[in-house]
Amino acid sequence: MKVKKLAHMIALMGVFVPAAESVFAQEVMQRVEITGSSIKRLAKEGALPVQVIGFDTIEKTGITSTEQLIRSLSANGTGADNMTSGNNVFGADADRVSGGASYASLRGLGPNSTLVLLNGRRIATFGASAKAVDLNAIPLGAIQRVEILKDGASAIYGTDAIGGVINFILRTDYHGVEVSLNDNFTQHGGGAARRLSLLGGIGSLEKEGYNVMGSVTYDNNEKLSSRDRAFANGFQPARGLSPDTTGTPYATQLSGAGTALGAGFKVPGDSTTYLQANALSLQGKCDFIPGMSQYQTALWKDVTAVTRSTYSCAYDYGADYIISFPVERLNAVSRGTLKLNGDHKLFVEALYGHTKATAQLTPVQIQTSLAAGNAYPVGGAYYQDLSALIPSFDKTKPIIYKWRANPWGYRTQENVTDNARLLIGAEGVLFGKWDYRTGLSHGESTTKTALLDGYGYTSKIYAALGGGKINPWLSAGQTQTPEAMDLIESTKFRGAFQHGKTSLTQLDGNLSGEVWQLPSGPLSMAVGFDLRREGYDFGQDVDATQILLSPGNAALNNASRNIKAVYTELIVPITKELETQLALRRDHYSVFGATTNPKISFRYQPNNVLLFRGSANKGFLAPSFTQLYSGRLSQELPNGTIDPIFCPQHPGDPAFCAIARLPYFSGGNPGLKPETSKQGSLGMVIEPVRGYSASIDYWAINSQNRILNRTPQIVLANAALLSQNIVRNPDNTIAYVDAGWINAAGTKTRGADLSLRGEGKIDSYKWAVNLDGTYTQSFKFAEIEGQPYKEYVGNFYTRDLYLRWKHNASISLSRGDWSGMLIQNYSSGYKDQLPNAGKSAPPPGFNPDVKAYTKYDLSATYTGFKNVTITLGIQNLLDTDPPFTAHNVDEVVGAGWDPRVADPRGRSLNILLKYKFL
């Protein structure tokens, strides 16, 4: 497409056009603290790669949430850390208490490896899981800018920042009142986003010696369902995509001793004993029920036993997923600053956030059995006699079946999170030359989950099913009787379900200044301390074991730990052209003991055209409370699981080759070791003339003892290496699988960040071009210690997609009261997941390459009316659908598309109105 080629050319023009900010400008500026250092310096100096995004740019791009902002960063991973992917109970790292949270994951190393700061200080992690900072807690409406330190393992803020640091800087000296309204509407319906923001401040630090500012922002995001988008289609077998489930709204009968199907059945001319039968499948009428289709056995024959799938229907439950669930956010922040004199300031900062996210999962899937007492009884009004289709069918016996129980409704959870932090601090200058900063803060994050619909007490549900009044074989257009619906309603549980709370108390301080004047410049030093107490509590409001397929983790009561840290930093000018930054941090964890981690970086500027920079450092990441201490949680795998060790020795035996309801346990691991890392970067910046600049920074990160969630699928796939995690009965059948968190082998990743900047003026027009891109050369790791490292860049994976190239490019044009911006977000393609785990040839229509995804956003801003700013924008200008992928929806959310890569909303109109009261 010509437009696409033109946009690529515009983006690449950044090599030759002037930069928005000159890297080597020499004019006198105020000394400030830049993310990555505790020493105040001129804003345009520094050796580390820091990307800065101003709030004005955020508004013009139509970004309505912190999650959107972070996902636009090329250095951020392409993983399941977004709210859509988190609305799931499957997946390699499925967070069953995600509660509508979203996270940052720089370099794709996981949320725990990215340090999220607010004004250079930590905030409490997400209350439900204590996994990492929830991006919903960031008050985006009060942000002045965002600084992203792409060089990780910060010896200043904490060596757990293996992937890097994202620092949200709040406005601190605002005067006046500003109200803004932002509406974002999709062309195809659903997913609308609205924001109302009020910002006010009085006083001037310079003139009056004080300033008090406050901001309140309210966001309301509407639901977007998969069925609202045509691309969310999980049944495209010719392309290698079909649901891998036999749990359908029209129930499938199962075999078993003492049941109507007995130990199994045969069909004429076939000696195979089959274990499941759906009446519609036997008649070739699976598609008679909306969303159902004939199970595509050939696509999954080595994943799900053919004896269970051949005469079964499938159901496109991926199309039942909620692409974007309803979210309401209220964020408020206030900061008061008092200037005691020219050298000292006191400040108080208060932060509050309230988020309500209503998550929905597909209706519960129920599998009955004689032992559970929920089989369909002989003589029941809806008894399904298959004698005409299966000669061996015994209608004197009860029926056991597998059923997607749609009459119970979507499993709906309301997750309410409250975040609060109070900070009291002081900063200023001592003895005319030493900058100091100190603060005491306490923050909490509390999440409460209530079940609104779709869940019920196991004993009541089983008793209701066993009574025969509920019909699991409804034809198209039929509904349950009022009596049956009343019975279903009587089984449901609604109300408070679980709660979690994290807390963070922090006392920190640092002192910095020039200690010695060398011939090449001043030697500067900083010393600091960081004392923290972290706490976590998670519990159930009811006995979750009594609720069928209840979400959440096991209880974890009152876990806490203390962290004490001291650090020092030196900036040493070796020559006028070369300086080094030396930092050392020592942390003591009450759980793991002490660790000392250094960092060294350099900045070499031989002339006004070139700058060279680099760093080397070490990192230390302690396991989270959940990873360490969460209790064992019992769950079940879908029907048809294959034992990779004994199925080849017992071909056709369902006890080994088509295991029903295989239980597994997941939970914490108190024996986890911390992750450690060694990493570094080397880069250069070139500015041939004032305003023309380009930079490239090559980075490498090696980690050991990477903490991964060991799913039962991974355990089974690595049965030889993890035989101790597969617990067997005396007859060698599997009793259960022991899954959970482990220290896997290390990770090795390499790549480069490219940044291009330019600005210019032609007549009365000003223009600027920017590009920030990340090239990932390699991302290797082994699932299990002892395995060889495997390359994941450009290949499908269930946790993260490690894409070869991502970038965000923009070109802006302004004249007088008018300005406009065109933005391009690009993500390269990758190799798709192979049907049937790659054990057989895929269908001819399967394309192994998932296409690249390119999205354009266009905005125009007018400021010609007094105190008024009007911005109109079109997001996804070309209405580009997400690229097709045939991945198994059981492992990654998204039927026919992947929310880790693409925006599912389609073309949308963004309207921003802002009015300032001066």
Side-chain angles (χ1 to χ4, degrees):
M1 171 179 294
K2 292 183 179 180
V3 175
K4 187 173 182 180
K5 293 181 179 179
L6 176 61
H8 279 288
M9 293 174 64
I10 291 173
L12 294 175
M13 285 171 59
V15 177
F16 307 106
V17 296
E21 285 188 332
S22 172
V23 178
F24 308 120
Q26 300 299 319
E27 61 264 41
V28 177
M29 295 178 296
Q30 181 182 3
R31 297 169 69 84
V32 296
E33 187 174 313
I34 302 171
T35 300
S37 174
S38 292
I39 299 174
K40 286 190 174 183
R41 320 186 66 208
L42 296 183
K44 294 185 180 180
E45 297 179 6
L48 301 176
V50 178
Q51 180 182 352
V52 181
I53 304 174
F55 186 68
D56 181 65
T57 300
I58 294 172
E59 285 191 317
K60 289 182 178 179
T61 57
I63 288 174
T64 58
S65 69
T66 310
E67 177 183 285
Q68 280 184 294
L69 172 64
I70 298 305
R71 292 190 68 180
S72 71
L73 301 177
S74 64
N76 194 60
T78 309
D81 304 306
N82 58 82
M83 296 177 73
T84 302
S85 294
N87 189 32
N88 190 21
V89 295
F90 297 108
D93 269 332
D95 186 352
R96 293 173 60 87
V97 287
S98 62
S102 64
Y103 308 101
S105 177
L106 293 177
R107 307 297 184 209
L109 292 171
N112 299 46
S113 298
T114 297
L115 186 55
V116 176
L117 305 175
L118 189 64
N119 281 350
R121 289 183 168 91
R122 295 173 183 250
I123 57 178
T125 55
F126 181 51
S129 64
K131 181 176 182 178
V133 171
D134 177 17
L135 295 176
N136 290 303
I138 303 298
L140 194 62
I143 294 297
Q144 179 178 341
R145 67 186 185 277
V146 184
E147 296 180 352
I148 302 98
L149 174 63
K150 301 179 183 179
D151 181 80
S154 171
I156 307 303
Y157 308 108
T159 49
D160 50 350
I162 294 175
V165 179
I166 302 176
N167 192 7
F168 293 88
I169 310 296
L170 297 175
R171 306 187 194 197
T172 57
D173 191 10
Y174 183 82
H175 181 81
V177 179
E178 175 182 301
V179 61
S180 64
L181 174 65
N182 192 1
D183 278 324
N184 191 291
F185 306 97
T186 62
Q187 176 180 333
H188 305 293
R194 298 177 175 87
R195 165 180 291 167
L196 179 63
S197 182
L198 178 66
L199 174 66
I202 58 174
S204 168
L205 285 177
E206 294 301 321
K207 296 179 180 179
E208 301 168 286
Y210 76 95
N211 178 259
V212 178
M213 61 82 65
S215 171
V216 179
T217 302
Y218 173 74
D219 295 273
N220 189 326
N221 297 348
E222 294 181 355
K223 183 174 75 172
L224 176 62
S225 300
S226 291
R227 297 198 184 277
D228 295 333
R229 295 294 183 266
F231 57 78
N233 177 7
F235 183 67
Q236 302 181 58
R239 304 174 75 178
L241 174 62
S242 180
D244 178 25
T245 179
T246 59
T248 53
Y250 187 93
T252 298
Q253 293 197 26
L254 307 178
S255 59
T259 69
L261 283 182
F265 66 95
K266 293 182 172 63
V267 296
D270 188 345
S271 61
T272 304
T273 299
Y274 295 98
L275 305 175
Q276 294 185 183
N278 189 293
L280 296 180
S281 175
L282 290 166
Q283 301 174 78
K285 297 179 179 180
C286 284
D287 57 0
F288 185 68
I289 305 295
M292 285 178 50
S293 60
Q294 175 62 44
Y295 187 96
Q296 303 297 298
T297 299
L299 285 179
W300 305 110
K301 63 185 180 64
D302 293 298
V303 176
T304 298
V306 297
T307 53
R308 293 196 177 275
S309 65
T310 302
Y311 292 104
S312 296
C313 299
Y315 178 64
D316 186 12
Y317 63 96
D320 282 341
Y321 276 24
I322 303 303
I323 291 178
S324 177
F325 44 84
V327 179
E328 287 186 81
R329 282 184 292 264
L330 178 67
N331 284 313
V333 63
S334 179
R335 182 182 175 99
T337 307
L338 177 64
K339 190 173 183 180
L340 300 179
N341 53 44
D343 292 333
H344 304 285
K345 289 185 291 187
L346 298 177
F347 63 89
V348 177
E349 184 179 288
L351 168 71
Y352 173 73
H354 176 84
T355 302
K356 182 172 73 173
T358 306
Q360 287 186 342
L361 300 172
T362 54
V364 67
Q365 183 173 266
I366 297 174
Q367 184 168 316
T368 67
S369 67
L370 295 180
N374 52 9
Y376 198 87
V378 176
Y382 309 111
Y383 187 91
Q384 187 182 57
D385 184 1
L386 297 183
S387 299
L389 300 172
I390 299 175
S392 61
F393 187 88
D394 187 351
K395 59 184 178 182
T396 66
K397 299 289 193 303
I399 299 170
I400 59 174
Y401 56 91
K402 188 176 184 180
W403 183 38
R404 177 72 64 177
N406 285 356
W408 262 266
Y410 285 93
R411 288 172 283 177
T412 307
Q413 308 167 19
E414 182 182 80
N415 303 282
V416 177
T417 300
D418 290 289
N419 295 282
R421 188 184 78 167
L422 179 64
L423 166 67
I424 302 173
E427 59 185 31
V429 181
L430 295 174
F431 312 116
K433 65 175 184 178
W434 291 95
D435 296 306
Y436 74 91
R437 188 186 76 157
T438 186
L440 174 64
S441 65
H442 178 75
E444 295 183 352
S445 176
T446 302
T447 299
K448 298 179 180 179
T449 299
L451 304 185
L452 303 185
D453 200 11
Y455 291 97
Y457 291 101
T458 303
S459 58
K460 292 184 178 181
I461 292 175
Y462 284 2
L465 294 175
K469 295 180 179 180
I470 297 171
N471 184 4
W473 297 287
L474 291 175
S475 297
Q478 291 183 332
T479 59
Q480 299 288 339
T481 65
E483 181 185 12
M485 291 305 299
D486 289 342
L487 182 59
I488 289 171
E489 185 64 28
S490 70
T491 69
K492 290 185 178 181
F493 170 82
R494 289 188 174 95
F497 176 67
Q498 63 190 16
H499 58 273
K501 178 181 178 180
T502 63
S503 62
L504 172 65
T505 302
Q506 181 177 20
L507 175 64
D508 66 89
N510 64 60
L511 183 69
S512 67
E514 298 176 1
V515 296
W516 194 10
Q517 187 66 37
L518 300 175
S520 52
L523 185 151
S524 300
M525 183 184 73
V527 293
F529 67 92
D530 181 9
L531 308 177
R532 304 194 309 274
R533 181 174 179 82
E534 300 173 348
Y536 179 51
D537 180 82
F538 182 81
Q540 305 286 350
D541 299 302
V542 297
D543 184 358
T545 62
Q546 302 301 309
I547 298 174
L548 183 63
L549 295 179
S550 63
N553 293 336
L556 172 58
N557 296 320
N558 297 320
S560 64
R561 63 188 179 198
N562 297 322
I563 302 99
K564 306 173 184 177
V566 292
Y567 60 89
T568 184
E569 177 187 0
L570 286 175
I571 295 181
V572 183
I574 307 299
T575 68
K576 291 185 179 298
E577 296 80 18
L578 173 65
E579 71 174 28
T580 61
Q581 178 185 358
L582 307 173
L584 186 69
R585 183 182 180 97
R586 181 172 177 82
D587 295 84
H588 184 276
Y589 287 77
S590 57
V591 178
F592 298 100
T595 174
T596 302
N597 295 280
K599 181 169 185 173
I600 180 172
S601 60
F602 76 91
R603 179 186 190 275
Y604 176 60
Q605 185 180 340
N607 52 52
N608 290 332
V609 175
L610 286 174
L611 181 149
F612 298 95
R613 60 192 180 193
S615 70
N617 48 82
K618 295 175 65 178
F620 179 93
L621 174 62
S624 70
F625 291 115
T626 302
Q627 292 167 343
L628 284 169
Y629 305 126
S630 62
R632 284 165 63 87
L633 184 69
S634 178
Q635 300 166 74
E636 291 180 343
L637 285 171
N639 262 1
T641 301
I642 297 172
D643 183 342
I645 301 296
F646 284 96
C647 179
Q649 301 177 27
H650 303 272
D653 187 342
F656 298 99
C657 303
I659 306 171
R661 301 171 65 90
L662 178 63
Y664 72 92
F665 292 93
S666 63
N669 180 359
L672 286 176
K673 301 176 183 178
E675 288 187 28
T676 58
S677 69
K678 295 179 179 179
Q679 54 217 92
S681 64
L682 185 64
M684 65 175 292
V685 184
I686 181 171
E687 186 179 35
V689 296
R690 173 70 182 275
Y692 290 72
S693 71
S695 68
I696 185 168
D697 292 275
Y698 183 81
W699 46 267
I701 304 171
N702 292 346
S703 69
Q704 292 181 324
N705 294 321
R706 191 182 187 205
I707 301 171
L708 294 177
N709 189 15
R710 177 186 50 201
T711 68
Q713 292 90 343
I714 291 175
V715 173
L716 291 170
N718 298 275
L721 288 173
L722 293 175
S723 58
Q724 71 277 12
N725 296 96
I726 302 176
V727 180
R728 297 184 179 276
N729 298 309
D731 61 355
N732 286 327
T733 57
I734 299 177
Y736 63 88
V737 176
D738 196 5
W741 295 97
I742 63 166
N743 285 114
T747 297
K748 300 177 181 178
T749 181
R750 310 280 186 272
D753 293 319
L754 174 67
S755 180
L756 308 173
R757 298 285 181 266
E759 70 174 4
K761 187 173 182 180
I762 301 177
D763 295 329
S764 58
Y765 292 91
K766 295 180 181 179
W767 55 272
V769 175
N770 299 288
L771 181 143
D772 286 286
T774 297
Y775 174 83
T776 304
Q777 178 188 11
S778 176
F779 199 111
K780 295 180 179 180
F781 66 89
E783 288 278 7
I784 309 297
E785 186 68 47
Q787 288 183 335
Y789 279 67
K790 180 180 177 181
E791 180 62 72
Y792 286 90
V793 171
N795 296 309
F796 176 85
Y797 191 53
T798 54
R799 271 194 296 272
D800 291 86
L801 292 172
Y802 303 101
L803 304 183
R804 183 70 68 188
W805 174 257
K806 293 172 62 178
H807 76 240
N808 177 287
S810 68
I811 180 170
S812 60
L813 184 68
S814 64
R815 180 189 180 189
D817 298 325
W818 289 93
S819 64
M821 179 180 291
L822 177 66
I823 301 168
Q824 181 198 57
N825 284 282
Y826 176 85
S827 299
S828 62
Y830 56 94
K831 294 294 183 182
D832 204 357
Q833 184 182 35
L834 295 174
N836 194 36
K839 296 181 179 180
S840 62
F846 172 73
N847 185 349
D849 297 309
V850 178
K851 295 180 180 179
Y853 179 69
T854 307
K855 183 172 75 75
Y856 297 96
D857 302 327
L858 179 67
S859 70
T861 301
Y862 180 69
T863 59
F865 301 116
K866 184 179 180 180
N867 300 333
V868 175
T869 300
I870 302 173
T871 298
L872 297 177
I874 301 176
Q875 292 181 301
N876 199 346
L877 182 64
L878 303 182
D879 199 23
T880 303
D881 283 341
F884 173 81
T885 165
H887 70 258
N888 187 344
V889 73
D890 271 356
E891 297 177 342
V892 174
V893 171
W897 71 289
D898 197 324
R900 297 176 295 176
V901 175
D903 179 6
R905 300 172 74 246
R907 184 185 289 124
S908 64
L909 173 66
N910 190 71
I911 304 172
L912 172 64
L913 302 176
K914 184 187 298 185
Y915 183 74
K916 293 184 178 181
F917 303 84
L918 299 180

